[in-house]
Amino acid sequence: MQSLIARRPAARVRRDPAPSKWAYRVQRWMLTPYVRGFVWKGLPTLVLLGAGAMWFSHEPNRQAVIGQLTHLRQEFEARPEFRVSLARIEGASPDLAEAVRAKLALPLPMSSFDIDLDAARARVEALDAVLRADLRVRSGGVLQVTITERVPVAVWRTEEGLTLVDETGHRVAGLLARADRADLPLIAGEGADVATPEALELIAAAGPLTPRIRGLVRMGERRWDIVLDRDQRILLPEANPVQALERLLALDHAQDLMNRDILTVDLRSDRRPTLRLTPNALAEVRRAQGLETVENEL
């Protein structure tokens, strides 16, 4: 009996199918979309980035990659379709076109990637005669430069000589002789170029006096004098000179004032104009008033 009991095999311990506490927590974490995504995507990405960072941390590896990329870029930029061989200038006179070519200072042919359009535009617009420049690289390897020239509207006389200015008073070009641009009005005096818009308004408002105008002189950088033929001069006020000139024109229309023996018409006073007569006219007025005039060498 005892031998039978001794030979009976021991009962096997049954395994509990329930997961352990930590296994349960891991399974719950893996059911979370963010954790599962990090394990399957984020973790491999970090491993690859870390390996790449370690590889790039070595100077020879970095230099090899940079050299290869630089070589590929140079080969790409040197392709024939990106090569600019010709500069075409439009909207400029022949002399200005040559000056624009010199200002571009581009050793053509060259790659379009090597052309700094903003810097080239700034160099061209630095020319006095250029109001605006537009630079574009066209197909066929052509750099198109479209120029908008400044239009001279007056001749400015200074101690240094004659200068053409546009409607804003900006310098356009130098002038050798007044006769070269006799079609443009003449302005003179310090600061006359800055006040060019006002001078043009006065010329436009001069009406019947326009053919007689020889020039406008800026006085003290504050106001204008209009110089006419027969050595006549109109002194305009600092404020509202156009309105003062219009009042003089109305007076001239009524009394034919400017055809008389008058040297200057002073309009600087708002109340009434002051006239300065020629010596002959002044002598005639005095004789008409019964005043004796004595001529002497003084």
Side-chain angles (χ1 to χ4, degrees):
M1 187 67 179
Q2 292 180 353
S3 61
L4 292 174
I5 294 174
R7 292 177 181 177
R8 182 180 298 174
R12 296 179 61 184
V13 180
R14 298 181 61 184
R15 183 180 179 184
D16 187 0
S20 65
K21 180 179 179 180
W22 288 104
Y24 174 76
R25 288 184 176 181
V26 171
Q27 292 177 7
R28 292 291 298 177
W29 284 339
M30 291 302 296
L31 292 175
T32 304
Y34 296 106
V35 175
R36 188 169 61 250
F38 173 76
V39 171
W40 293 106
K41 297 180 180 180
L43 191 59
T45 302
L46 290 178
V47 172
L48 292 176
L49 290 177
M54 291 181 62
W55 191 84
F56 271 102
S57 63
H58 295 282
E59 183 67 19
N61 296 337
R62 286 201 306 271
Q63 293 299 328
V65 173
I66 294 175
Q68 185 64 23
L69 292 177
T70 303
H71 178 70
L72 292 176
R73 177 185 175 184
Q74 291 175 350
E75 286 186 346
F76 178 77
E77 293 179 354
R79 292 172 64 90
E81 54 265 30
F82 299 124
R83 182 168 295 274
V84 177
S85 304
L86 175 66
R88 179 183 300 162
I89 301 175
E90 299 179 352
S93 60
D95 293 340
L96 180 57
E98 291 300 322
V100 169
R101 291 183 188 277
K103 276 292 184 178
L104 284 174
L106 297 176
L108 300 179
M110 62 186 303
S111 173
S112 60
F113 292 96
D114 296 332
I115 300 177
D116 189 342
L117 294 180
D118 292 334
R121 182 184 301 108
R123 292 195 300 270
V124 172
E125 291 182 347
L127 293 171
D128 291 330
V130 176
L131 176 62
R132 185 170 54 257
D134 182 28
L135 279 70
R136 297 177 184 272
V137 177
R138 299 295 187 184
S139 59
V142 176
L143 175 62
Q144 180 176 329
V145 183
T146 304
I147 300 297
T148 302
E149 289 193 54
R150 295 184 182 274
V151 179
V153 297
V155 178
W156 179 32
R157 184 188 297 276
T158 62
E159 294 180 356
E160 290 76 17
L162 299 175
T163 304
L164 294 174
V165 295
D166 66 358
E167 60 183 2
T168 65
H170 192 282
R171 185 183 187 276
V172 176
L175 190 66
L176 294 178
R178 174 74 177 101
D180 294 338
R181 292 306 303 266
D183 57 311
L184 298 180
L186 178 68
I187 59 177
E190 190 71 22
D193 57 330
V194 180
T196 299
E198 188 177 60
L200 297 178
E201 293 181 4
L202 290 171
I203 294 173
L209 292 180
T210 302
R212 297 186 54 195
I213 293 179
R214 294 296 175 262
L216 281 77
V217 181
R218 191 69 172 169
M219 307 300 294
E221 300 186 43
R222 297 182 298 104
R223 63 174 194 84
W224 289 102
D225 279 3
I226 300 179
V227 180
L228 306 177
D229 55 3
R230 294 164 43 195
D231 294 330
Q232 289 182 326
R233 184 179 288 243
I234 302 173
L235 283 60
L236 296 173
E238 180 179 355
N240 302 321
V242 176
Q243 290 80 350
L245 180 59
E246 291 175 346
R247 291 195 298 268
L248 174 63
L249 292 176
L251 184 62
D252 178 59
H253 179 72
Q255 301 183 12
D256 197 20
L257 182 66
M258 300 308 297
N259 285 327
R260 301 184 182 183
D261 292 335
I262 296 175
L263 284 179
T264 62
V265 180
D266 191 345
L267 303 176
R268 291 176 292 179
S269 175
D270 295 336
R271 297 181 180 180
R272 61 180 181 179
T274 301
L275 307 180
R276 180 186 174 190
L277 303 178
T278 62
N280 292 334
L282 183 59
E284 289 294 334
V285 171
R286 288 178 176 176
R287 280 195 293 268
Q289 294 176 349
L291 300 176
E292 293 292 336
T293 58
V294 178
E295 298 289 341
N296 53 52
E297 295 182 358
L298 298 178

